[in-house]
Amino acid sequence: MENQVNPAAVPSAYDYRLYDRIWRRVSPELDPYPEVRAASAPSAARAETPHTIQVSPTAQNTQAARSAQAAQTTQAAAPAPAGGTVSAGGGLEGLPGADANPCCMGTQAQVSVGVLTGFIEEEAASRRHYLILARHTRSQQAAALLRTFAGEKQELVQRLRAAYFLITGANYIPAVMVEQLGCRPLPDMLRDVYHQEACDGYNYERAADEAADTCLTKLFEELSKASYSRAEQVLALLGKIIR
């Protein structure tokens, strides 16, 4: 009697994966079911692929904020370059020459601008006066000395005008005056020159004491010595011509 097999009990498709596992245990070198191995390969690859950790937007923002804070802390701890402070524009402030108020011929010298213009006018007038005296005297020695004084006065005026420009940034031009001199004895004319130079030396000395600017003080002190030197030369000449 033949055994009757129930068709419903036979599966429509055999599960070869079970047999494949058995063959791997018995004979791993054999490949009885290649189609089963090929079908299971994608599943194994997916199992070996590492999982990617997704960071939420909130966590990303938190990490970015921490990184920015760390960068700011590092920048603040970095030492500033020697000689000045780094500004927002990258330049160095506080260096000599970069200050808007210079250390010489600057704001402190502005209080002496009136005195400076007075000296310019005085020296320019003395120069013209000495040239006129040189033309009216018959003494060649006195005429040569007065012309030398006139040349020194011209240089002096230019130095004072340069100082005025350094302080104010403007060009000061002294007034032009024409003097009318009568004929006078040479000793009398030299007497006026002596007092003029001696008074100029004193006035420069006093201006140097009162000036708040160091460079202007040095200039006035130098001009004071030059004025006293001219007065001494006039005194020596008078000692030769007075009888």
Side-chain angles (χ1 to χ4, degrees), residues 47 58-59 121 158 169 176 190 197:
T58 303
E121 293 290 346
Q158 292 304 108
V176 177
L190 292 179
E197 292 301 325

Side-chain angles (χ1 to χ4, degrees), residues 2 64 66 123 199:
E2 296 179 0
R66 291 176 179 176
E123 298 295 358
C199 289

Side-chain angles (χ1 to χ4, degrees), residues 53-71:
I53 300 176
Q54 297 182 355
V55 182
S56 63
T58 303
Q60 292 178 354
N61 295 336
T62 304
Q63 293 177 357
R66 291 176 179 176
S67 300
Q69 184 176 4

